[in-house]
Amino acid sequence: MKLYRFAVCLMLFSSLWAQDNPGAAAPPEVNKAAPPPGSQRPRVGLVLEGGGALGLAHVGVIKWLEQNRIPVDVIAGTSMGGLIGGIYATGESSDQIEVLIRNIKWNEVLRGVTLYRDLSFRRKEDRRDYQNAFEFGLKQGAQFPSSFNSGQQVGLILDRVGLPYSEMNSFDDLPIPFRCVAADLVSGKPYVFDQGSLSKAMRASMSLPAFFTPVRDGSRLLVDGGLLDNLPVDVARQMGADIVIAVHLKAARLDPKASLSTLGVLQRSATVSIALNELRSMENADILLTVDVERFDITDYTLFNQLEAEGYKAAQVKSTLLSRFRVDEDQWRQIVAARNAKRRPIPVPQFVEVTGAGGDVLKGLQHQLSDLPGEPIDPQELDEKMMAVTGLGRFARAGYRDVERDGKHGLAVEAEEKDYAPPTVHPTLVIDGSDYKNVLFEVGGRITFLDLGGFGSEWRNDFIAGSEYGLKTEYFHPFTSHTGWFVAVHGIADSSPFFVYQRNKLLGEYRNRVMGGGLDLGYTFGRGAELRVGYEAGYQKVSEDLGIPVAPAVRGRFGITSVRYRLDRFDDPVIPRRGARLESTFKFRDTAPGTRDVVPTEELRLGLAKRTSLKSSVLLFASGGTAFSTKHTGFPPFSLGGPLRLGAYGTNELLTNQYFLLQPALLYKLREISPLLKQNLYLLTMYEAGKAYGQPVYAAKVAQDVTVGVLFQTLFGPMFFGGSIGDNQHRKFFFKVGRFF
């Protein structure tokens, strides 16, 4: 073998001498090449480096090799190189890989959270009520997630690719023999995947520490292999490669004067460590293809065309060296046919088994997946079912693989429970600057105990302190694990401020104290809607603390029969870009403080969002409420005035028994601050027109204003800074943090 490789070196040397410096002595760039004519074709190994989005350039390299009929006999890769290499190893062509890459919604995949549309209705309520990105658990004391990203969407992509290759005695049995490298946090050494689940191998290899959740494999805890062996030339050698073609991604150097975020420092620190282990591998490669990706960032997944072109160019630069390994058309067809013969079809599952859950939770999941056996797998439908599993809130990830039992193929669904929850805690911090001279501050959270009393049952507790303080609790119990019918028992003890302004002048400050409880019967329509009918009773006291009395202070018992329907089809709970939301609430107060009359009320709220371009969306909000013909309602049930309720008017300036409000708006994305963390900056412009009936001053006209401001989408929730200008000399600057729409 040594003599053979020496002959390869001589051939490469001769090739470079003749092409690059005819008649002059010069050292070659590489020292190995194809064997002398007449000898057996060398075994070519392709090694692909990790590098986030930069690794998409590998597709261009593979495309050039295919177009020039240069066979790859073995592949080794790390991180993104492991992903691209693993897909190619299954027999997919470069064109097929390109189609797969283009269809991936990278921003969604890399954010890692379960999309709002895939959450169960209860979890949608959590995201809507607590509009920040923080969640922690109390499973073993207060504990935060081990990463920003559970790897759910990435895992589903890999599960789809690796499904036919879920159980392999050796990765040598793939159409192209393959290896990928991960780093074992337990042993502190590289771990080379050469058998088992192809999907798990690729996922472990690209699990960037602190960003993706580590992969547990027996006694090993595996993360991104780039930390120890980002360009695994040594692995390709161990696979028997005579010639190793290594693809190096030449990233930009750090500007010492550049400002760095916390994530930026973490990224650059990892880059320095990775660069050290790359040098040794670069020196040991036979042919080194250096891809110039200095103008790109590791998060530029949307720039696939440019990255692919750079990879293609890097291979073209070394065309003279690479062409030594070209085969004729007959040999190429034989090689491709041999690969296709080793490809495995996607099996039709005859059964489904679920791991990672037990008891009622297991029964519930099995029922949700009961329609899969006996039918050909629809990848999109299967992905939706996996996202529905994580949408329940208990599981960090749900994936699938093929298993064989007694000669029958089945689908093994692996649900990975969150290692920190349940119970789950959603904290909140809300700063309300509707009046910047009287800023309100609230801090609180929601603690949820899941599956307490059966699958889908939960006990939810909300607590808040600050301008408002109180406790709300609800026990929710579905009739069975597979029905939408449920019963809910709830209670409340709360004290909240109620301010009444006229323009920017505070007229009165009230304190609304409520204590009571109730029982609801309802039905949940899938993940998008809920209907409730219930009765609640208790004691309410609305008393004036400061200012001029503008509404009667009331106290006494209340009894309310209610019917509430909610539909939520928005694409985002914080800043919607498309979809619809509808809420209808009918209440019949048989007893109400401050009046002897029965008081029926109905309030309808509608929200519509239509995306008109990548950056802009048109929104429409409309609402209206009425107490019908009831005149004596006690404290008025509705009000207008304040942000998103006629922003130029003072908070609760218009107290009424009947109103309507129309709010068309334009949302325009000014800047994408962080695509991975979904942090954006928007410009919001909104026109508002509303009428509060029964007001002596405003009864004869429709109140109008225009609101303009900037809306930040941050980890801490939405932040709005802006102002409104309205009729009758109404104008106001305001800000809100933690909750907006």
Side-chain angles (χ1 to χ4, degrees):
M1 181 62 69
K2 290 183 178 179
L3 181 61
Y4 173 80
R5 292 183 62 190
F6 178 72
V8 169
C9 294
L10 290 179
M11 291 298 295
L12 247 179
F13 186 88
S14 301
S15 173
L16 285 170
W17 182 291
Q19 176 182 343
D20 297 332
N21 285 301
E29 292 185 40
V30 295
N31 60 356
K32 301 177 180 69
S39 65
Q40 186 179 5
R41 183 176 70 82
R43 188 174 175 84
V44 177
L46 179 64
V47 178
L48 304 179
E49 182 177 284
L54 307 181
L56 298 179
H58 296 316
V59 182
V61 173
I62 293 173
K63 177 173 287 188
W64 191 94
L65 295 176
E66 284 189 335
Q67 290 178 357
N68 289 272
R69 301 194 305 276
I70 298 173
V72 173
D73 299 292
V74 298
I75 303 175
T78 298
S79 195
M80 182 57 75
L83 171 62
I84 301 298
I87 298 174
Y88 190 48
T90 64
E92 300 285 345
S93 68
S94 59
D95 291 338
Q96 291 169 324
I97 297 174
E98 182 176 332
V99 171
L100 174 63
I101 296 297
R102 291 186 186 280
N103 287 332
I104 296 174
K105 297 179 180 179
W106 286 104
N107 284 351
E108 292 182 2
V109 166
L110 295 170
R111 278 196 293 269
V113 298
T114 302
L115 296 178
Y116 188 65
R117 68 168 183 261
D118 295 320
L119 296 174
S120 67
F121 192 81
R122 300 283 292 182
R123 302 291 75 80
K124 283 184 177 180
E125 289 181 319
D126 293 340
R127 293 278 297 278
R128 189 169 59 249
D129 295 341
Y130 296 85
Q131 297 184 353
N132 57 59
F134 296 105
E135 175 186 288
F136 64 93
L138 301 176
K139 194 171 187 177
Q140 297 176 343
Q143 184 180 357
F144 284 88
S146 58
S147 66
F148 291 110
N149 191 321
S150 68
Q152 170 67 3
Q153 286 92 335
V154 172
L156 290 179
I157 295 170
L158 302 180
D159 288 345
R160 184 183 300 190
V161 172
L163 181 60
Y165 310 97
S166 298
E167 292 185 337
M168 303 197 70
N169 295 326
S170 172
F171 286 171
D172 290 341
D173 297 332
L174 287 163
I176 304 176
F178 171 70
R179 302 287 188 273
C180 64
V181 182
D184 184 4
L185 295 181
V186 177
S187 68
K189 298 178 180 179
Y191 180 77
V192 179
F193 278 94
D194 59 1
Q195 62 179 348
S197 167
L198 178 62
S199 172
K200 177 182 284 188
M202 293 188 291
R203 187 159 61 94
S205 182
M206 61 185 301
S207 293
L208 187 65
F211 190 78
F212 286 112
T213 302
V215 173
R216 298 182 183 276
D217 183 34
S219 61
R220 291 178 286 269
L221 189 62
L222 302 170
V223 296
D224 196 305
L227 298 176
L228 299 176
D229 195 358
N230 199 42
L231 189 64
V233 171
D234 56 331
V235 176
R237 292 276 188 225
Q238 294 166 9
M239 297 175 71
D242 301 314
I243 299 298
V244 174
I245 303 171
V247 184
H248 169 57
L249 306 171
K250 185 182 178 182
R253 293 178 177 272
L254 176 64
D255 182 353
K257 298 181 180 179
S259 60
L260 288 175
S261 63
T262 302
L263 290 177
V265 173
L266 180 63
Q267 172 191 329
R268 295 306 304 188
S269 300
T271 301
V272 171
S273 174
I274 290 170
L276 292 176
N277 70 65
E278 288 175 345
L279 287 175
R280 180 183 66 256
S281 296
M282 291 164 63
E283 293 171 353
N284 292 332
D286 297 306
I287 298 178
L288 184 67
L289 306 185
T290 300
V291 185
D292 184 4
V293 288
E294 290 187 348
R295 72 179 190 274
F296 301 98
D297 190 80
I298 63 171
T299 60
D300 287 336
Y301 288 91
T302 58
L303 302 180
F304 173 75
N305 287 345
Q306 296 93 314
L307 287 163
E308 181 192 47
E310 290 298 332
Y312 192 93
K313 185 191 302 182
Q316 182 65 35
V317 168
K318 297 293 181 70
S319 60
T320 302
L321 301 176
L322 294 172
S323 63
R324 304 291 296 178
F325 309 105
R326 180 181 297 167
V327 298
D328 59 37
E329 291 187 6
D330 287 340
Q331 286 180 295
W332 180 253
R333 282 195 293 268
Q334 292 173 10
I335 291 170
V336 173
R339 291 178 183 174
N340 289 336
K342 296 176 70 175
R343 298 189 68 176
R344 297 181 179 180
I346 298 176
V348 176
Q350 300 303 311
F351 61 90
V352 173
E353 61 181 37
V354 180
T355 61
D360 291 333
V361 178
L362 175 61
K363 294 178 182 178
L365 293 181
Q366 288 175 331
H367 181 270
Q368 292 184 1
L369 304 170
S370 60
D371 59 340
L372 293 176
E375 298 292 334
I377 289 177
D378 181 340
Q380 183 174 351
E381 178 187 0
L382 190 53
D383 285 356
E384 290 176 356
K385 286 183 176 294
M386 296 302 101
M387 295 303 294
V389 172
T390 60
L392 296 172
R394 171 180 283 274
F395 302 100
R397 182 184 176 274
Y400 55 88
R401 60 187 178 90
D402 176 63
V403 294
E404 191 172 348
R405 302 280 188 268
D406 300 325
K408 295 181 179 180
H409 285 275
L411 199 65
V413 174
E414 300 171 325
E416 297 179 10
E417 191 172 90
K418 295 176 179 178
D419 55 7
Y420 60 92
T424 304
V425 181
H426 293 90
T428 187
L429 170 65
V430 177
I431 302 174
D432 187 347
S434 301
D435 175 11
Y436 60 86
K437 298 179 182 178
N438 182 29
V439 178
L440 304 182
F441 175 88
E442 297 173 357
V443 62
R446 170 171 289 173
I447 304 176
T448 306
F449 298 83
L450 298 176
D451 303 313
L452 194 67
F455 178 71
S457 299
E458 59 183 68
W459 181 28
R460 190 162 71 185
N461 302 275
D462 296 280
F463 60 92
I464 194 165
S467 303
E468 176 183 359
Y469 51 90
L471 173 67
K472 299 176 184 177
T473 185
E474 180 184 71
Y475 180 71
F476 175 94
H477 182 74
F479 286 178
T480 68
S481 61
H482 55 273
T483 183
W485 291 102
F486 67 87
V487 62
V489 182
H490 52 90
I492 182 174
D494 185 74
S495 175
S496 60
F498 189 89
F499 298 97
V500 179
Y501 284 81
Q502 186 173 24
R503 295 187 175 90
N504 291 324
K505 182 180 179 181
L506 179 63
L507 294 183
E509 176 182 347
Y510 290 78
R511 176 62 60 171
N512 182 21
R513 299 175 177 87
V514 179
M515 181 174 291
L519 175 68
D520 291 341
L521 175 66
Y523 188 85
T524 302
F525 301 88
R527 296 191 291 260
E530 179 188 86
L531 174 66
R532 287 188 177 216
V533 178
Y535 186 82
E536 59 182 319
Y539 180 84
Q540 180 180 20
K541 177 182 179 182
V542 182
S543 59
E544 182 191 0
D545 288 350
L546 296 171
I548 303 171
V550 292
V554 298
R555 68 173 65 187
R557 178 186 173 276
F558 66 86
I560 303 173
T561 301
S562 63
V563 179
R564 184 172 65 170
Y565 175 77
R566 289 179 295 165
L567 170 73
D568 193 343
R569 296 287 173 81
F570 272 154
D571 64 332
D572 190 272
V574 182
I575 302 177
R577 302 289 307 278
R578 62 166 65 92
R581 181 183 293 164
L582 174 68
E583 182 171 348
S584 172
T585 305
F586 173 80
K587 293 183 177 181
F588 183 84
R589 294 173 173 83
D590 55 72
T591 302
T595 179
R596 295 182 179 179
D597 297 337
V598 296
V599 183
T601 62
E602 166 65 30
E603 186 172 30
L604 183 67
R605 298 191 178 210
L606 171 67
L608 300 172
K610 173 70 174 179
R611 194 164 186 166
T612 55
S613 71
L614 288 175
K615 291 190 173 183
S616 61
S617 293
V618 174
L619 310 177
L620 174 63
F621 297 97
S623 59
T626 179
F628 301 97
S629 58
T630 307
K631 295 183 179 180
H632 303 291
T633 60
F635 201 85
F638 309 113
S639 69
L640 290 177
L644 297 184
R645 299 289 290 175
L646 287 176
Y649 282 68
T651 302
N652 300 318
E653 185 170 342
L654 308 177
L655 299 175
T656 179
N657 290 347
Q658 185 168 304
Y659 82 96
F660 77 82
L661 179 63
L662 186 66
Q663 302 163 289
L666 176 65
L667 191 66
Y668 184 82
K669 185 165 71 173
L670 297 173
R671 183 182 176 189
E672 190 171 56
I673 302 172
S674 173
L676 297 185
L677 300 177
K678 199 178 181 182
Q679 293 176 303
N680 301 303
L681 174 64
Y682 294 92
L683 173 67
L684 175 69
T685 58
M686 174 181 286
Y687 168 75
E688 297 181 290
K691 182 177 178 64
Y693 293 86
Q695 295 289 323
V697 179
Y698 305 107
K701 71 183 187 70
V702 174
Q704 303 177 68
D705 67 25
V706 174
T707 298
V708 178
V710 289
L711 184 58
F712 297 83
Q713 193 172 18
T714 74
L715 290 174
F716 301 95
M719 302 172 63
F720 178 85
F721 298 89
S724 300
I725 298 178
D727 53 14
N728 199 23
Q729 298 183 342
H730 283 86
R731 57 180 55 88
K732 185 171 58 177
F733 166 80
F734 58 91
F735 66 91
K736 297 193 74 174
V737 177
R739 187 177 297 130
F740 190 65
F741 286 117

